[in-house]
Amino acid sequence: MRIIETIDEVRQALSTSKGTIGVVPTMGYLHPGHVSLIERARQACDCVVVTIFVNPLQFGPNEDYDRYPRDLKRDAQLAEQAGADFLFTPSVEEMYPRPNQVGLTVRGLSDKLCGASRPGHFDGVATVVTKLFHIIQPSHAYFGQKDAQQLAIIQCMVEDLNLPISIVPCPTLREADGLAMSSRNVYLSEEERKQAPILYQSLLDVTKALDQGAFSHASEVVNSIHEMFKQAPLGDIDYVEAFTYPDLQPIENLSDQPIIIALAVRFGKTRLIDNVIWSRKEESPCFEQ
Amino acid sequence: MRIIETIDEVRQALSTSKGTIGVVPTMGYLHPGHVSLIERARQACDCVVVTIFVNPLQFGPNEDYDRYPRDLKRDAQLAEQAGADFLFTPSVEEMYPRPNQVGLTVRGLSDKLCGASRPGHFDGVATVVTKLFHIIQPSHAYFGQKDAQQLAIIQCMVEDLNLPISIVPCPTLREADGLAMSSRNVYLSEEERKQAPILYQSLLDVTKALDQGAFSHASEVVNSIHEMFKQAPLGDIDYVEAFTYPDLQPIENLSDQPIIIALAVRFGKTRLIDNVIWSRKEESPCFEQ
């Protein structure tokens, strides 16, 4: 695996590449969730590029850009073991030599869920992902279902802007106790870590209840999760929402349409997210296994 | 030359193309200015694609979208004669099957000149040009210098978003009396047409005076043009401005830096634009011949 830091060099390296190119865009501090994306790209593509870039454009002024965890040496080992051909790790100066005057703006899909408390976040995500797509020119790009809103927005962006790229959604990987893998999990104190599995546990409980027909309205699902969080006093709920999926429209009366149940919870300064996609149909391809 | 109306079909047609692809994005109703762009692409590229799309996203609610002139049959003849291999003429439904949720936003460069009186115009231009770039995947794209602000914004967009495309600026073509060629010239009444050459004449006069060192401040240039328009009572000035070029920053004391002198003038409902780029240095590559 070759580590490349400049745009010119990665373009040069890929210019002789034949066949499909799979890209796995990440912010680094790789965990098994990222590894599973890289392995999936390796199985499907002739050339696999992992990118590591902690994108300042998608962090708000009071967010964790400066303290976001970084460990390039370990990341390089993990990416290589998972089968990456290239690791692209540009600096902020390489990606933004001057303040961007032209960027992407996301309407509609970005004003809810994580977008509501992180204004401009998804504009920053869409802009950097587009830049990376233009630099790498992949045929396939791999994104985790854990960031479901990001995935929906990127899929929408690819359609709206006619990007010649297939977006491949990949299932969320979890710790043994169900906590979704995230680079931010390292921030958690011991006590917070003990309570954090409540995110997924509450989602599992409501999907079980949904399967049994216990709820007919989305608000009951949301209220039920709020109720469960009384068991996790360190968790401060940012949002719990149920929307149609993948178009993220409000829904109240539950029908056969797939829904996403998503939540964001702060443990101290650490903000964790999780979601499940649920559909009444038994063999929905959307249902997360 | 093959005429293609769908995105899938043009992608399919270009997928077997080898070498360079030059694109000439237009809104149709081609004139010799467009023809010169196509000929330039023909000289430089292995494959030449002309696009014709009157983009609703870049027209304001009271602008001339509905009455914008269209003549596909004549356009096809002109494009073919000029050497185009493909003419891509998508419908609005093909380009925007639903309202775009993700689009481009232009900051800084777009709030002056034509952007000041056409809010959202350059966001619409940047969005449709990006879509066309993603569909055609050209190596080169040809734009006229007449739309100098559009050209500056597209060059900025290519840099900010790392689009793998060379933008080729091409000189403005003019009628015998100096009027810049434009599809909108057909709107002019006989009397308006007689007065319209004042746009270029006033620009020529001030550049001559600049060459002779007659002005030391940008405001003198602007005032001088306003004065000349007293000879053209049908012309209603939208703006006359002098900015640094290509970064379009305000300037007052004239120096060795190239400047753009640009103006927009309404004759009845018809809005005409023109510009020259002037530099004190004798052999400036920016100076329009």
Side-chain angles (χ1 to χ4, degrees):
Chain A
M1 187 188 74
R2 192 170 146 202
I3 301 178
I4 297 180
E5 293 177 8
T6 71
I7 293 168
D8 283 349
E9 211 179 333
V10 76
R11 280 195 167 138
Q12 180 65 31
L14 292 169
S15 65
T16 54
S17 171
K18 303 224 182 280
T20 52
I21 297 176
V23 68
V24 183
T26 81
M27 297 209 300
Y29 214 73
L30 304 183
H31 54 63
H34 298 112
V35 168
S36 73
L37 302 182
I38 303 169
E39 288 170 346
R40 181 108 177 239
R42 178 73 284 161
Q43 285 166 14
C45 297
D46 298 306
C47 175
V48 175
V49 184
V50 175
T51 71
I52 295 183
F53 181 61
V54 185
N55 174 34
L57 221 61
Q58 73 191 66
F59 285 80
N62 296 314
E63 293 182 2
D64 56 350
Y65 173 70
D66 285 326
R67 68 180 192 116
Y68 196 86
R70 292 158 168 94
D71 187 345
L72 184 58
K73 196 174 164 191
R74 194 170 145 273
D75 286 348
Q77 287 170 352
L78 287 170
E80 183 159 25
Q81 283 164 19
D85 297 302
F86 298 99
L87 182 63
F88 179 51
T89 61
S91 67
V92 172
E93 293 68 33
E94 182 71 7
M95 289 295 277
Y96 302 110
R98 61 177 187 208
N100 257 39
Q101 294 197 272
V102 181
L104 275 81
T105 303
V106 183
R107 285 176 288 268
L109 289 172
S110 65
D111 57 0
K112 51 196 69 159
L113 301 173
C114 291
S117 64
R118 304 187 73 185
H121 169 67
F122 287 114
D123 293 348
V125 170
T127 299
V128 80
V129 169
T130 298
K131 284 169 69 72
L132 290 169
F133 283 173
H134 289 159
I135 293 165
I136 310 290
Q137 297 181 62
S139 52
H140 297 75
Y142 296 79
F143 291 90
Q145 180 69 37
K146 197 200 81 176
D147 299 299
Q149 187 177 15
Q150 168 178 286
L151 176 59
I153 285 170
I154 287 169
Q155 283 175 318
C156 179
M157 174 180 93
V158 163
E159 288 172 34
D160 281 355
L161 297 182
N162 308 100
L163 278 151
I165 298 169
S166 295
I167 302 300
V168 185
C170 301
T172 304
L173 257 67
R174 300 181 178 284
E175 305 289 351
D177 58 9
L179 178 64
M181 288 188 183
S182 165
S183 306
R184 290 189 169 100
N185 290 350
V186 296
Y187 296 152
L188 297 170
S189 71
E190 198 178 335
E191 195 51 39
E192 289 166 348
R193 177 64 188 82
K194 273 187 199 158
Q195 295 188 13
I198 185 80
L199 274 85
Y200 188 52
Q201 193 54 53
S202 68
L203 291 170
L204 276 188
D205 285 2
V206 292
T207 49
K208 257 184 222 160
L210 279 162
D211 285 339
Q212 292 161 2
F215 302 127
S216 54
H217 297 93
S219 54
E220 298 167 53
V221 176
V222 169
N223 292 340
S224 174
I225 292 177
H226 275 281
E227 193 62 31
M228 281 182 250
F229 264 82
K230 291 181 179 165
Q231 302 161 33
L234 295 179
D236 181 18
I237 291 177
D238 180 5
Y239 66 77
V240 180
E241 302 270 19
F243 285 113
T244 61
Y245 191 84
D247 45 335
L248 306 185
Q249 293 305 304
I251 186 169
E252 178 52 11
N253 293 315
L254 299 176
S255 66
D256 285 345
Q257 192 175 3
I259 59 169
I260 181 168
I261 309 159
L263 75 174
V265 180
R266 284 179 207 281
F267 284 88
K269 285 185 174 180
T270 309
R271 189 171 171 282
L272 302 179
I273 61 173
D274 205 346
N275 69 84
V276 291
I277 293 158
W278 179 85
S279 163
R280 195 182 299 272
K281 288 167 190 163
E282 280 186 21
E283 294 188 37
S284 163
C286 290
F287 189 83
E288 191 187 10
Q289 301 300 323
Chain B
M1 186 189 73
R2 192 169 147 203
I3 301 178
I4 297 180
E5 293 177 8
T6 70
I7 294 167
D8 284 349
E9 212 179 330
V10 77
R11 281 193 166 140
Q12 179 66 31
L14 292 169
S15 65
T16 55
S17 170
K18 303 226 183 279
T20 52
I21 297 176
V23 69
V24 183
T26 82
M27 298 209 300
Y29 213 73
L30 304 184
H31 54 64
H34 298 111
V35 168
S36 72
L37 302 183
I38 303 169
E39 289 170 345
R40 179 109 179 239
R42 178 72 284 160
Q43 284 165 15
C45 298
D46 298 306
C47 175
V48 175
V49 184
V50 175
T51 71
I52 295 183
F53 181 61
V54 185
N55 174 34
L57 221 59
Q58 72 191 66
F59 286 79
N62 297 314
E63 293 183 1
D64 57 349
Y65 174 71
D66 286 328
R67 67 180 192 115
Y68 196 87
R70 293 159 168 91
D71 188 344
L72 184 57
K73 197 175 162 189
R74 193 172 145 273
D75 286 347
Q77 287 169 353
L78 288 169
E80 183 159 26
Q81 283 164 17
D85 298 302
F86 297 99
L87 182 63
F88 179 51
T89 61
S91 66
V92 172
E93 294 67 34
E94 183 71 7
M95 289 294 279
Y96 302 110
R98 63 176 186 209
N100 258 40
Q101 294 197 272
V102 182
L104 275 80
T105 304
V106 183
R107 284 176 289 268
L109 288 172
S110 66
D111 57 0
K112 52 196 68 160
L113 300 173
C114 292
S117 64
R118 304 186 74 184
H121 169 67
F122 287 114
D123 293 349
V125 170
T127 299
V128 81
V129 169
T130 299
K131 284 169 68 74
L132 290 168
F133 283 173
H134 289 158
I135 293 166
I136 311 289
Q137 298 180 61
S139 53
H140 298 76
Y142 296 79
F143 291 91
Q145 181 69 36
K146 198 200 78 174
D147 300 298
Q149 187 177 15
Q150 170 178 283
L151 176 58
I153 286 170
I154 287 169
Q155 283 175 317
C156 179
M157 174 180 94
V158 162
E159 288 172 34
D160 281 356
L161 297 182
N162 308 99
L163 277 151
I165 298 169
S166 295
I167 301 301
V168 185
C170 301
T172 303
L173 258 67
R174 300 182 179 284
E175 305 290 351
D177 59 8
L179 179 65
M181 289 190 184
S182 165
S183 306
R184 290 189 169 101
N185 290 350
V186 296
Y187 297 153
L188 296 169
S189 72
E190 199 178 334
E191 195 50 41
E192 290 166 346
R193 178 64 188 79
K194 275 187 198 158
Q195 295 187 12
I198 185 80
L199 275 83
Y200 187 52
Q201 193 54 54
S202 67
L203 292 170
L204 276 188
D205 286 1
V206 294
T207 48
K208 259 184 220 162
L210 280 163
D211 285 340
Q212 292 161 2
F215 302 128
S216 54
H217 297 93
S219 54
E220 299 167 53
V221 178
V222 169
N223 291 340
S224 174
I225 291 177
H226 275 281
E227 193 62 31
M228 281 182 250
F229 264 82
K230 291 181 179 164
Q231 301 160 34
L234 295 179
D236 181 18
I237 291 177
D238 181 3
Y239 66 76
V240 180
E241 302 269 19
F243 285 114
T244 62
Y245 190 83
D247 45 333
L248 305 186
Q249 293 306 303
I251 186 169
E252 179 50 10
N253 294 316
L254 299 176
S255 65
D256 285 345
Q257 192 175 4
I259 58 169
I260 182 168
I261 309 159
L263 73 176
V265 180
R266 283 178 209 282
F267 284 89
K269 284 186 177 179
T270 309
R271 189 171 171 282
L272 303 179
I273 61 173
D274 205 346
N275 69 84
V276 291
I277 293 157
W278 179 84
S279 163
R280 195 183 299 272
K281 287 168 191 164
E282 280 185 21
E283 293 187 37
S284 162
C286 288
F287 189 84
E288 190 186 12
Q289 301 299 325

